[in-house]
Amino acid sequence: MSTPAPMTAPTARDAQRLPPLRFGFLATGPWILGFVVCVLFAFLCHALAQWQWDRRVEVQHRVNRVLENYDDDPVPFAEASRLFTAFQTEDEWTPVTLTGEYLVDETLIVRNRPRAGQPGYEVLVPFRTDEGPVVVVDRGWLPVGNSPGQPDAVPAPPAGHAEVVVRVKPGEPALDRDAPDGQVPSIDLAEIADTVGGPVAGTAYGIMVTEDPAVGSMPQKLVEPTLDEGPHLSYAIQWYLFAAMGFGVWGYSAWMRARNDRADALDGAADDGLLSAQRAPRPKPVRRRRDGLLTDEEAEDALFD
């Protein structure tokens, strides 16, 4: 009697004969829409990466100006008056020597000037140069005093003729804020000129470095400019990585879909083969002897069938 052949596990040779992955579903609406979303997301990431790159370039320019100008020898005001009246970006941090006298009665306090995380003020004193123009000098920083809205005391600059070394800084934009008498919301040179009531160099002011003669009580020095470029480069790279990840997720999803479709097709084919193998075989026709009687073997086979 013949019996059905047993089912065997697929061999390595059978695995090599697997049908190829099919990606025809990528032409359907949902997958096309997903690809379009990836493209739009990539454009957005590129715009954000470019924005971070532009910020890095701007910071690099500021750092380069510090490296080029900060530690230079001071230039006499007679040779560098243009820096205060027609300031250009590359002039920032250039040291300049002023000679003349402070206009102590015109001292101003700039509000809301934090330093190292502490609130405070900056002290501005107009300085009339020997050449005539008045230059605003930022003498330093003062902490918030016991009385609200003002420092406890404002150290006076040297009286009479003095020599002051300053570093050039551009004026600040105006702020739409009110301030008490003797105070200003920002270093807006046009507003300061109106307060002082005289001609003031209108495009730049000076941050004090040294004074001669020296005085006993001084405001605290302002924080030096940083040379750190910040994380803008790493942020730009991260945005491009996010764009690549969008396409990577879409591609991996498509590969998994094709792989699962092939597995489902193979499972269906295996199920059809198993059903065919489990069908009962047709009984063999019983052969009889010439006398019409069964042989012993045929009788046994017929009995089992």
Side-chain angles (χ1 to χ4, degrees), residues 84-85 103 126 133-136 189-190 192-194 196-205:
F84 297 91
T85 57
L103 304 179
V134 174
V135 175
V136 175
L189 298 176
I192 293 174
D194 293 339
V196 172
V200 173
T203 62
Y205 67 100

Side-chain angles (χ1 to χ4, degrees), residues 29-69:
W31 286 94
I32 294 176
L33 177 61
F35 185 78
V36 171
V37 170
C38 290
V39 172
L40 295 177
F41 180 69
F43 275 112
L44 175 62
C45 291
H46 171 71
L48 293 173
Q50 189 64 44
W51 172 60
Q52 288 292 344
W53 183 265
D54 292 341
R55 293 187 64 186
R56 176 176 180 265
V57 171
E58 181 181 350
V59 172
Q60 282 184 320
H61 288 330
R62 290 203 300 263
V63 170
N64 290 336
R65 287 197 295 271
V66 174
L67 295 175
E68 293 171 0
N69 299 334

Side-chain angles (χ1 to χ4, degrees), residues 13-30:
R13 181 176 298 178
D14 296 330
Q16 294 176 355
R17 297 175 183 173
L18 290 176
L21 297 176
R22 300 184 182 277
F23 294 92
F25 59 86
L26 294 180
T28 60

Side-chain angles (χ1 to χ4, degrees), residues 75-83 131:
V75 181
F77 179 78
E79 302 175 9
S81 60
R82 177 199 61 80
L83 275 62
E131 291 77 10

